[in-house]
Amino acid sequence: MSKVDWIKKIIKTNTSLIVIVVAALLIELTTGIIYYNSQDIIESTTIRVMERENSTLSLCICNKLTKVEVVLDNMSWIVADDLLNPDSLFSESYQITKNNPMILGSCIACIPNLFPERGYWFEPYSVRKPDGTIEMKQLGSSRHDYTNYEFYIMPMVTGKSHWCEPYMDNVGAMQRITTYGVPVRNSKGKIVAVVEADLSLEWLKDIVNEDKIYPSNERFLVTGRYNLLAGEDNLLFRRALEYVKKDSDKNGYETMEDENGRKKLLFFTPVGGKTDWILLNVLDENDVFGKMQRIMRNLLLVAMTGLLLIGFIVWRSKRNLERLRQVNAEKERISSELRVASQIQQSMLPPNYLKKDDLEICGLLVPAREVGGDLFDYFIRDEKLFFCIGDVSGKGTPAAMLMAGTRSFFRAFSAHENNPAHIVHRINESTCQGNDTNMFVTLFIGVLDLPSGHLRYCDAGHDAPIIIHNSSTSKAAEPITLLSRLECNPHLPAGLFDDVKYNVQETFLTPDSTLFLYTDGLTEAKNAGRKQFDLQRIDDVLKKCAERQLGPKDILDAMTEKVHRFVNDAEQSDDLTLLAIRYTPQRFESTLSETLTLKNDVSEVSVLSSFQKALLEKMGIETSLARKIRLAVEEAVVNVIDYAYPVGVEGNVEVCMMTDGQCLKVVISDSGVPFDPTLIEDIDISLSAEERQVGGLGIHLLREIMDSVNYEHLNGYNTLTLRKIYK
């Protein structure tokens, strides 16, 4: 017998044993692969989760600090106005502490001998006592020379606001604090005082230690000079600080060991804002991988036990039954994943129904499969409705992934852009990148100005929307036009070519008219006879809805009912998406209105100030709120005076202020160069008054003070509308 024949005989007579051995090896190999892949997945997931946790916690701290910064930055203006009255400074520090629970104490540290009659040191100070009461006192003295403290020196030297290093306050707050100081300038621009707010480090400690994901989490908050703000000063902190000091951008992830040699995961993130603070988050590696290691050990024991059963399965089972079982299990897994994917996709959509004073929206998306490629989205920013509807080529999971990306692009690119053509252009560029499958998406994006009804839109190969007019507004002698199609330029869908040029189009929606948008899943819905639900049937349904003056929700109900009756038992062949937007503007009934016309000369600001002061008094607006409103309006008007007209060109700025008894409405218009201030992301409010340009508070200040800010450029005029509810 040859060697080959002998091997064949061994294989033939020991087939079951060989199968068991091979199965055992495969199980062990699979277990090892699963273990190491799972470890990589858990590690990468942990990194993302912890980085997100650090970012969220840093943002929370930054947002709370920003509130303090905004309060003091605004108060520095008010303090500057009251420098002639030293007694009023006590009231200012008291109001800062009383109205801001985050602030433990507040003082106004004046330069020496600013008020000779009050002594060399004058530092009005208010502090919140443990029982909640606020105590006021004059803190400055030879025993407490605040001119030697960082919170006073840095704003005086740099002319900028400053967060100081933590220190023990044994005179005022009687605990460890950090202080934020803002310089105050007199009418000549000289820094004469520093308005300051004290924050308790106990407050930071509470924030840093809340909502820990893992029990071993240890968090620390340090300054840019590595002084501890929150957390326990221990060996682990000092070891972690060594890694942070080596990193130039103070942002990252490191693996380290504690004093006992246990592996730790270190995440550190800058807090941002005006601070140089750094958040450190230390996690025990065993918390991340310990449970998985125990599971894998148990899995190995189970696998070894299962080897005994494999022999029985090989002997008794039939290959076809095993294959069928695997196929069914795979189908169930895929079906389960698709159900989850469908839930995720539906959660990405905005609310199906929204009703406001000036707007009513209803949307519907019915995918042909578990997941689909249709989308609709909307949101409101600066009194403008941003909305879109789209249809991705193809169906199923690939289309759903492109749909999710398109929706994310729409949200991201429209956050600081009001031109729908620019938004479509950027979506097209992003969709074309790496699009090896040549998938594309038809899009219609619109931006509706709610006060005026001005609609700007861009169509990228999508079906033109239909306008349902309000029949009750038509005159009896005129023929009633119930429906009209929006005129749309022929553009290519997004995702085909990255150099496509998209143009914006404009129209106006009349009050109580409805914009009806849909995808081709409506027009191409087929019945058992393969006939399509065409445009004529859509028009018939919408005309009946117009005659009955139905709202968006009822329009969508009527349309879907008609489609279901038409299709009957036929299988849905394409995704169906509907979106109805009804424009219902509310008229502003003015009880008091006055208009002032100014030249584009900064000297006119004094006229504006007198005009505002007198009119706001007539309206009965509270003094402190009136002061803020005057500041916001003056910032906006000065910005127009400086930049609306070219140098040497004279022009007018019209300011109209009106009230309905509860809401103040300010309309600022000019015929200068178009400029939309609502597109400005933010400003650097840390700059001093001399460094900041006139009107430099810009949209940030307007949004902080006013309830809404809206800009439109129509018929050659820039119109900025500000609203503030004061009752």
Side-chain angles (χ1 to χ4, degrees):
M1 182 183 294
S2 66
K3 187 175 182 179
V4 174
D5 292 335
W6 180 78
I7 294 174
K8 289 182 178 179
K9 183 180 178 181
I10 293 296
I11 294 175
K12 184 176 181 180
T13 57
N14 297 280
T15 302
S16 298
L17 179 60
I18 293 173
V19 170
I20 294 174
V21 173
V22 172
L25 293 175
L26 289 176
I27 289 175
E28 296 297 327
L29 178 61
T30 303
T31 303
I33 293 174
I34 291 174
Y35 177 81
Y36 288 107
N37 286 343
S38 299
Q39 191 171 24
D40 289 340
I41 292 172
I42 291 175
E43 183 176 4
S44 61
T45 302
T46 301
I47 292 173
R48 289 195 299 270
V49 170
M50 295 303 295
E51 287 177 345
R52 189 177 299 116
E53 178 185 308
N54 266 24
S55 298
T56 302
L57 189 56
S58 297
L59 182 60
C60 176
I61 296 172
C62 186
N63 286 341
K64 290 182 179 295
L65 294 179
T66 300
K67 293 180 180 179
V68 176
E69 294 167 357
V70 170
V71 169
L72 259 69
D73 291 348
N74 290 334
M75 285 301 299
S76 66
W77 294 70
I78 298 174
V79 171
D81 291 338
D82 295 333
L83 285 175
L84 297 179
N85 184 6
D87 290 333
S88 65
L89 302 186
F90 284 94
S91 174
E92 305 294 358
S93 69
Y94 178 87
Q95 290 299 324
I96 293 174
T97 307
K98 176 184 177 183
N99 296 330
N100 300 278
M102 291 172 50
I103 297 176
L104 178 63
S106 174
C107 72
I108 302 170
C110 302
I111 62 173
N113 282 327
L114 178 64
F115 305 103
E117 69 279 7
R118 298 301 178 95
Y120 184 82
W121 296 277
F122 185 62
E123 185 186 16
Y125 181 75
S126 297
V127 63
R128 183 175 284 104
K129 307 298 288 183
D131 61 358
T133 61
I134 297 176
E135 179 184 357
M136 291 190 301
K137 53 186 173 180
Q138 204 293 95
L139 205 60
S141 68
S142 58
R143 293 178 61 250
H144 175 63
D145 188 355
Y146 54 82
T147 62
N148 294 324
Y149 284 78
E150 179 187 354
F151 61 75
Y152 175 87
I153 295 173
M154 292 303 296
M156 293 295 297
V157 173
T158 63
K160 299 179 181 179
S161 55
H162 176 72
W163 282 100
C164 75
E165 297 293 304
Y167 64 97
M168 181 65 193
D169 185 359
N170 294 317
V171 179
M174 307 305 293
Q175 58 178 281
R176 281 182 58 81
I177 60 173
T178 181
T179 300
Y180 177 73
V182 179
V184 178
R185 301 174 184 271
N186 60 16
S187 59
K188 297 180 180 180
K190 178 184 176 182
I191 300 177
V192 296
V194 178
V195 57
E196 299 153 358
D198 297 334
L199 267 67
S200 171
L201 296 189
E202 289 298 318
W203 166 78
L204 289 173
K205 179 180 178 182
D206 293 339
I207 291 182
V208 169
N209 289 324
E210 67 182 5
D211 297 330
K212 292 183 178 179
I213 297 178
Y214 296 98
S216 68
N217 266 36
E218 289 197 48
R219 296 173 181 161
F220 310 93
L221 184 64
V222 299
T223 67
R225 301 181 200 169
Y226 308 112
N227 290 319
L228 185 62
L229 286 161
E232 184 178 351
D233 188 1
N234 52 27
L235 290 176
L236 180 63
F237 164 67
R238 295 169 191 170
R239 192 177 292 266
L241 206 57
E242 294 174 4
Y243 286 87
V244 176
K245 290 179 180 179
K246 297 176 184 177
D247 194 292
S248 58
D249 59 4
K250 311 306 177 194
N251 186 13
Y253 155 72
E254 293 285 349
T255 301
M256 55 174 283
E257 292 184 355
D258 63 7
E259 65 275 13
N260 298 318
R262 290 194 299 266
K263 288 188 176 180
K264 300 284 186 176
L265 305 179
L266 168 63
F267 302 84
F268 47 99
T269 306
V271 172
K274 294 184 179 181
T275 72
D276 57 359
W277 297 356
I278 308 167
L279 177 66
L280 284 66
N281 205 335
V282 182
L283 176 64
D284 196 325
E285 189 182 58
N286 188 57
D287 277 354
V288 180
F289 302 111
K291 191 173 184 178
M292 186 190 72
Q293 292 170 351
R294 292 191 295 271
I295 291 174
M296 294 308 300
R297 286 195 296 268
N298 295 334
L299 183 61
L300 288 174
L301 293 175
V302 173
M304 296 302 295
T305 305
L307 290 177
L308 299 175
L309 298 176
I310 292 177
F312 179 77
I313 293 172
V314 171
W315 179 58
R316 293 290 303 268
S317 299
K318 295 181 180 180
R319 183 175 299 175
N320 291 340
L321 292 178
E322 177 64 13
R323 183 178 301 165
L324 179 61
R325 185 194 66 79
Q326 293 175 354
V327 169
N328 289 336
E330 182 67 13
K331 288 177 62 177
E332 179 60 27
R333 183 187 66 81
I334 294 174
S335 177
S336 176
E337 291 179 354
L338 287 175
R339 285 194 297 269
V340 174
S342 176
Q343 294 172 359
I344 294 174
Q345 186 180 40
Q346 290 293 330
S347 67
M348 295 176 64
L349 299 175
N352 290 337
Y353 183 74
L354 172 68
K355 185 172 184 180
K356 300 181 61 182
D357 291 340
D358 51 4
L359 197 65
E360 186 177 2
I361 304 176
C362 189
L364 172 70
L365 191 155
V366 182
R369 301 179 182 176
E370 286 83 355
V371 292
D374 279 9
L375 73 139
F376 75 89
D377 199 5
Y378 64 84
F379 67 95
I380 298 173
R381 172 174 65 80
D382 296 326
E383 293 195 292
K384 289 179 172 59
L385 172 68
F386 294 76
F387 63 94
C388 74
I389 189 170
D391 186 2
V392 178
S393 60
K395 302 178 185 66
T397 304
M401 294 178 67
L402 183 55
M403 167 268 187
T406 304
R407 186 260 182 189
S408 298
F409 291 149
F410 168 72
R411 285 276 177 157
F413 297 149
S414 57
H416 299 291
E417 177 60 66
N418 292 343
N419 189 322
H422 294 170
I423 299 173
V424 174
H425 176 74
R426 296 188 64 184
I427 292 176
N428 178 57
E429 286 185 335
S430 300
T431 306
C432 287
Q433 293 178 3
N435 187 9
D436 298 330
T437 60
N438 295 320
M439 295 183 70
F440 60 87
V441 54
T442 66
L443 273 174
F444 181 93
I445 294 181
V447 179
L448 175 63
D449 183 69
L450 299 179
S452 64
H454 181 213
L455 173 64
R456 289 179 290 175
Y457 61 93
C458 180
D459 187 292
H462 199 79
D463 294 312
I466 300 173
I467 300 178
I468 306 173
H469 300 280
N470 181 18
S471 60
S472 64
T473 60
S474 301
K475 297 180 180 179
E478 297 177 348
I480 299 176
T481 302
L482 297 178
L483 305 178
S484 65
R485 277 185 168 74
L486 204 60
E487 181 180 352
C488 296
N489 293 335
H491 294 131
L492 289 176
L496 292 175
F497 305 103
D498 58 3
D499 57 351
V500 177
K501 303 298 182 183
Y502 295 94
N503 299 318
V504 66
Q505 295 177 264
E506 301 180 48
T507 188
F508 281 86
L509 292 184
T510 57
D512 296 321
S513 61
T514 302
L515 191 64
F516 180 78
L517 304 96
Y518 58 95
T519 60
D520 58 11
L522 178 62
T523 54
E524 297 175 5
K526 299 175 183 177
N527 59 14
R530 308 301 294 171
K531 291 184 179 180
Q532 293 186 347
F533 189 87
D534 53 18
L535 290 174
Q536 185 57 51
R537 290 185 174 88
I538 295 175
D539 288 348
D540 293 340
V541 174
L542 294 182
K543 285 179 181 178
K544 292 180 180 179
C545 293
E547 292 170 352
R548 297 166 59 189
Q549 299 183 23
L550 298 182
K553 190 176 187 301
D554 293 330
I555 292 174
L556 265 57
D557 290 342
M559 187 64 70
T560 53
E561 180 185 2
K562 186 70 174 180
V563 171
H564 291 156
R565 289 172 56 190
F566 174 81
V567 173
N568 201 2
D569 295 330
E571 183 180 358
Q572 183 178 346
S573 59
D574 198 0
D575 304 328
L576 174 64
T577 302
L578 307 175
L579 181 64
I581 303 172
R582 187 176 187 184
Y583 178 53
T584 57
Q586 301 296 308
R587 185 174 179 180
F588 189 89
E589 298 291 340
S590 175
T591 59
L592 177 61
S593 174
E594 292 187 19
T595 302
L596 176 67
T597 302
L598 305 171
K599 297 292 184 181
N600 59 327
D601 189 335
V602 74
S603 63
E604 296 270 28
V605 174
S606 59
V607 179
L608 173 63
S609 179
S610 300
F611 169 76
Q612 286 193 87
K613 187 173 183 180
L615 188 55
L616 293 175
E617 289 179 354
K618 288 183 182 179
M619 295 179 180
I621 299 178
E622 187 260 336
T623 304
S624 61
L625 177 59
R627 184 186 295 122
K628 294 179 181 179
I629 293 173
R630 287 163 50 197
L631 176 61
V633 174
E634 287 179 9
E635 283 286 340
V637 172
V638 169
N639 188 63
V640 174
I641 290 174
D642 285 346
Y643 303 108
Y645 299 95
V647 177
V649 175
E650 293 186 358
N652 292 332
V653 182
E654 185 177 276
V655 181
C656 180
M657 301 181 70
M658 61 193 78
T659 180
D660 61 358
Q662 295 182 333
C663 177
L664 170 68
K665 180 178 177 182
V666 183
V667 180
I668 303 171
S669 59
D670 65 272
S671 59
V673 178
F675 172 68
D676 187 354
T678 64
L679 300 182
I680 298 175
E681 295 186 19
D682 208 342
I683 62 168
D684 187 1
I685 58 176
S686 65
L687 297 176
S688 65
E690 285 76 8
E691 294 173 296
R692 190 185 306 131
Q693 295 181 354
V694 177
L697 290 176
I699 193 64
H700 176 83
L701 180 61
L702 297 183
R703 282 175 172 157
E704 284 291 321
I705 296 176
M706 309 304 286
D707 292 328
S708 68
V709 180
N710 176 266
Y711 168 84
E712 275 292 290
H713 182 76
L714 292 173
N715 302 321
Y717 281 87
N718 298 301
T719 302
L720 184 66
T721 304
L722 315 175
R723 286 183 171 86
K724 182 67 178 181
I725 297 175
Y726 60 90
K727 285 189 179 180

